Structures are given as structure tokens and as C-alpha cells.
Amino acid sequence: MVSKLDLYKVFWRVALSKSFSKAAKELYMTQPAVSQSIMQLERELDIRLFNRTPRGVSLTNEGSLLFEYVSSALNLIDVGEEKMLEFKHLTAGQLTIGVGDTISRYYLLPYLEAFHMKYPNIKFKIENGTTLELCSMLKSGVIDIAICNFPIDDPTLEQIPCMDIHDVFVCGEKYKNLFSQPTNLEEVVKLPLILLEPSSISRKYVEDYIFSKGIKIAPEFELGSHDLLLEFAKINLGIACVTKEFSQEYIKKGLLYEVPLVEEIPKRSVGVCFLKSVSLSQASKKFVEIIENGQD
């Protein structure tokens, strides 16, 4: 097909210039090479495309019909190449990001703003979901990249940690006097616990850590939203396990109090995730760079 495309380009140029010699100069070819190309195309199509005269060439009826289609095709190729350049230079295109509500609200927004300032012509599409749902979206091609909680146990995904986060327990006014001193996990879990739903990566990470200490838990509430954890704890329904970095507004205002632990839960991270087997688009690469460089 590539070789035939070259023949069509020669045909198109000859038709425009109405001369083999002029077409040869414009194509930086010899005149015999141009003549040979036209003869080859006519043989392959089994049809005569040009009327040859001493003053030049003119299209036959069949050649005129073919010229319309070839012109359209070559113009579309030119437009396609222009679009590819636009995508390459980020003057057009779309970036589809998968992210959960909490990370979107407390982490992602400044990076979206920084990217939009640099590349205003790139459109954003945001897909919401849990970390596990976002991993499925990556594999099905629904999203380009995901911003989610780590760790993720999946060797097909590239994971770039970008921000350390800490899981802590918080309580409202009713329980705060119970924790004037650092407390063991054994004592904390005896109180009504407010945790995320079991399918959450954050819940699983904390639960696995607690189990590793030989401690069993039976949550009083299992919720699907980090903001609900904060609200339930604020009205004294129990002790909530939350992400410290995403709870600062409540803690600083004195709406909630962090429970001091004798042994803190090991830190984990939030970061960018994408398929190892698929090359990132130019827009995705630039967005990842902005996150890695801290909006610079």
C-alpha cells in the first residue's frame, strides 16, 4: 500500500501540473521515473488515466474520477498529519484521568490547574471510582492514567508514588479525653470503629496492618466516603480511621482530634498509575511530569 500511495502522489501531481516534466521537477524525480510510475499505476488499475499530447497530458474521464478520490484522500492525510502535530505539541487533544473523590478534592485540583495553565487547549475528562475500579478502567482503556492510593498488587501497572500519606484515628469531643496519652491499638479497636468499606485499598492496608499485630476488628460503621468518616466521627458515632493529610481542615478547626498511638501505622502513598504495556500520550506524559515535579 505504501508503494501504491507513492504512485497516487505522482498521479496527483501530474494531474495538477498537466505535464510529466513539470511534475518531475516538483517531485524532485526524473521525467522517466514519473512516466514509469504512471505506466505502473495504469497497469495495476488496468485503465488509461491520461491522454498524452505533444503539449502535455490531460486526464481521461476515468482519470478525472480517480483524481477526485485521490485528492480527497491526500487532503485527509494532510489533515491527519496536522492533527498529529497538534497532539504532539499539545495544542489539541483530551486527557482522561481516573480519580476518587477524596484524592481529587484534596490532592489533584492544583495539578489540574497547573496543567491547564500550560496547555489550555487540552480538554479534561474525569472518571470517578475506587482504586480497584480505576485499575479496571486502565486495563479496558477507559482512562489514560489514574491518581489513586498505593500500594496496588498488580504487576501490569506502573506505579509512581508522588505523596506520602498517613492513616490515623480521629475522634470527636466525646472520646478525646480517653486519649490524653499515646494509646495501643488494642485499646482503640475496643471502641466503636468507623472504617471505609472492605473493598477500599485504604481499608485493606490498615486492616492488614492491624491483623499483623494479632488484633481482630469489628467496625461499627463501614462507609463509602472519606468525608463521611469525618462527619460520623465529628458527631461522636465512634473512632474513624482517616487519611491525616486529607483531614487537616477538621483537625485544625478542632472539630476532630487525632488519636495518639504508641506505634503509628506505617505511611503509604498516593500516586500516578498507568499500564506498563501501553505508551502514554504526550498529554499524559506532561501531566505526570507536572505531578512528579510538584506543579513546576
Side-chain angles (χ1 to χ4, degrees):
M1 183 61 192
V2 173
S3 61
K4 187 170 285 189
L5 179 60
D6 289 338
L7 296 180
Y8 283 126
K9 287 180 177 178
V10 173
F11 163 75
W12 181 75
R13 180 54 60 186
V14 171
L16 286 177
S17 62
K18 300 180 181 179
S19 166
F20 283 2
S21 59
K22 288 181 181 179
K25 289 180 181 179
E26 293 168 356
L27 293 169
Y28 300 99
M29 298 172 63
T30 63
Q31 183 171 335
V34 169
S35 298
Q36 185 63 36
S37 295
I38 296 302
M39 290 173 61
Q40 181 181 342
L41 184 59
E42 289 179 327
R43 282 198 304 271
E44 292 191 15
L45 297 177
D46 192 24
I47 201 164
R48 187 164 57 87
L49 300 172
F50 289 100
N51 296 309
R52 279 84 167 169
T53 68
R55 291 184 294 178
V57 294
S58 61
L59 288 166
T60 62
N61 291 336
E62 297 84 354
S64 296
L65 179 62
L66 181 63
F67 178 76
E68 293 179 12
Y69 287 102
V70 170
S71 294
S72 297
L74 293 179
N75 286 333
L76 284 174
I77 290 173
D78 288 340
V79 171
E81 288 180 344
E82 288 176 6
K83 290 297 181 184
M84 292 303 100
L85 287 174
E86 288 178 359
F87 288 133
K88 181 179 179 181
H89 299 296
L90 300 179
T91 56
Q94 177 175 289
L95 176 59
T96 306
I97 301 172
V99 65
D101 289 334
T102 303
I103 294 177
S104 179
R105 177 181 175 184
Y106 294 105
Y107 175 73
L108 184 62
L109 291 180
Y111 298 104
L112 292 177
E113 181 183 11
F115 184 88
H116 182 67
M117 291 292 289
K118 285 189 174 182
Y119 309 107
N121 294 317
I122 300 297
K123 296 179 181 179
F124 285 120
K125 183 177 181 183
I126 306 297
E127 296 284 350
N128 291 100
T130 65
T131 295
L132 293 178
E133 289 171 343
L134 296 178
C135 290
S136 297
M137 291 183 195
L138 279 172
K139 293 179 179 179
S140 62
V142 174
I143 57 178
D144 300 312
I145 58 175
I147 315 297
C148 53
N149 289 297
F150 292 168
I152 301 171
D153 185 18
D154 191 329
T156 67
L157 299 177
E158 186 72 43
Q159 301 175 48
I160 303 176
C162 297
M163 174 186 176
D164 289 339
I165 56 174
H166 301 80
D167 298 288
V168 297
F169 288 93
V170 294
C171 65
E173 195 74 30
K174 176 182 175 181
Y175 293 98
K176 77 170 185 176
N177 291 331
L178 298 176
F179 305 111
S180 57
Q181 299 294 326
T183 308
N184 290 310
L185 276 172
E186 290 91 338
E187 297 303 315
V188 174
V189 301
K190 292 177 182 178
L191 298 166
L193 291 182
I194 309 170
L195 302 180
L196 286 170
E197 56 194 8
S199 61
S200 162
I201 290 290
S202 300
R203 160 72 180 273
K204 187 176 186 306
Y205 180 81
V206 171
E207 197 168 40
D208 287 349
Y209 176 74
I210 294 175
F211 284 173
S212 73
K213 301 298 180 181
I215 304 171
K216 294 183 178 180
I217 60 173
E220 192 81 9
F221 299 97
E222 295 179 324
L223 307 174
S225 161
H226 185 271
D227 285 348
L228 280 179
L229 295 177
L230 298 170
E231 288 296 320
F232 272 46
K234 187 179 75 171
I235 60 174
N236 300 303
L237 293 179
I239 313 300
C241 185
V242 299
T243 303
K244 182 175 182 177
E245 287 73 16
F246 302 154
S247 309
Q248 289 302 303
E249 183 179 343
Y250 283 75
I251 295 172
K252 288 179 178 178
K253 289 181 178 179
L255 301 175
L256 291 173
Y257 305 90
E258 182 180 348
V259 175
L261 296 177
V262 172
E263 185 178 352
E264 294 184 350
I265 301 170
K267 67 181 180 181
R268 53 192 180 91
S269 59
V270 164
V272 185
C273 188
F274 49 88
L275 281 175
K276 290 181 179 179
S277 59
V278 178
S279 297
L280 288 177
S281 67
Q282 193 69 9
S284 297
K285 288 179 182 177
K286 291 298 182 183
F287 191 80
V288 171
E289 286 177 10
I290 285 176
I291 289 184
E292 286 186 294
N293 296 329
Q295 304 177 43
D296 293 337

